[in-house]
Amino acid sequence: MAFTLPPLPYDVAALEPYLTKENIELHYLKHHNAYVVNLNKLLEGKPEANKTLEEIILSSDGGVFNNAAQIWNHTFYWNSMKPKGGGEPSGALAAAITKDFGSLAKFKEEFTAAASTQFGSGWAWLVVDGGKLKVTKTSNADLPLKYKQTPLLTIDVWEHAYYPSFKNLRPKYIETFLASLANWDFAAENLSKAK
Ligand code: MN
């Protein structure tokens, strides 16, 4: 069965004025969709086409891995944001952040540093690794699933993610993501399912 582009969890204009409608249309309808189209082309007529996306990610490399992982990463990224997001986490997630980072401010510092220093294209993540919350960064299509980590939240720092709204100002994009877009409900839900 061919893979399809997962629905965006909100309208293309829902993250304005931070990420513009044009930005989301380009990123979702062009970039995210292209990974779906490319993966289907690469797997056409092959037995792997019947595997789940996660199975493909864990058993492939090269173009198949890059496109499969980028489909997964982008779906996770769209859910990592919401209109009227940002603010502060609550409940078990807030407690875990305080326990493992010292404070929410310290977490934000680490996440900002990871997202800012990822050289070139990639992602910064809040993950659970061995029962502990950590901040990580990955290059290109690489992702926590490969390292047995459970991702809770991600920011896409490929230039295509923020240039239409923020031009070259990656630090401003990261600051805006944490202040106004981050979906802490999604992160909390992922934490509740983590081992
Ligand atoms: Mn992207």
Side-chain angles (χ1 to χ4, degrees), residues 49-113:
N50 296 313
K51 289 182 176 178
T52 66
L53 195 59
E54 284 80 2
E55 286 168 343
I56 292 169
I57 288 167
L58 293 173
S59 64
S60 66
D61 53 22
V64 171
F65 170 79
N66 286 336
N67 285 284
Q70 283 294 76
I71 295 172
W72 197 98
N73 289 341
H74 281 86
T75 304
F76 197 83
Y77 169 65
W78 302 128
N79 283 290
S80 292
M81 300 186 288
K82 66 171 187 179
K84 299 193 172 71
E88 296 191 1
S90 59
L93 177 60
I97 286 174
T98 303
K99 177 174 160 283
D100 294 332
F101 293 100
S103 66
L104 179 63
K106 287 295 285 178
F107 156 74
K108 286 184 178 180
E109 262 176 48
E110 276 194 43
F111 189 81
T112 300

Side-chain angles (χ1 to χ4, degrees), residues 27 74 156 160:
H27 198 177
H74 281 86
D156 186 346
H160 69 226

Side-chain angles (χ1 to χ4, degrees), residues 135-172:
V135 164
T136 65
K137 55 183 176 176
T138 60
S139 291
N140 299 318
D142 200 15
L143 73 178
L145 266 62
K146 265 181 52 181
Y147 308 101
K148 296 186 166 45
Q149 297 165 333
T150 303
L152 304 186
L153 197 77
T154 194
I155 182 170
D156 186 346
V157 294
W158 284 58
E159 290 183 347
H160 69 226
Y162 61 94
Y163 259 57
S165 301
F166 292 92
K167 305 292 186 277
N168 58 319
L169 304 176
R170 193 195 284 193
K172 183 71 186 161

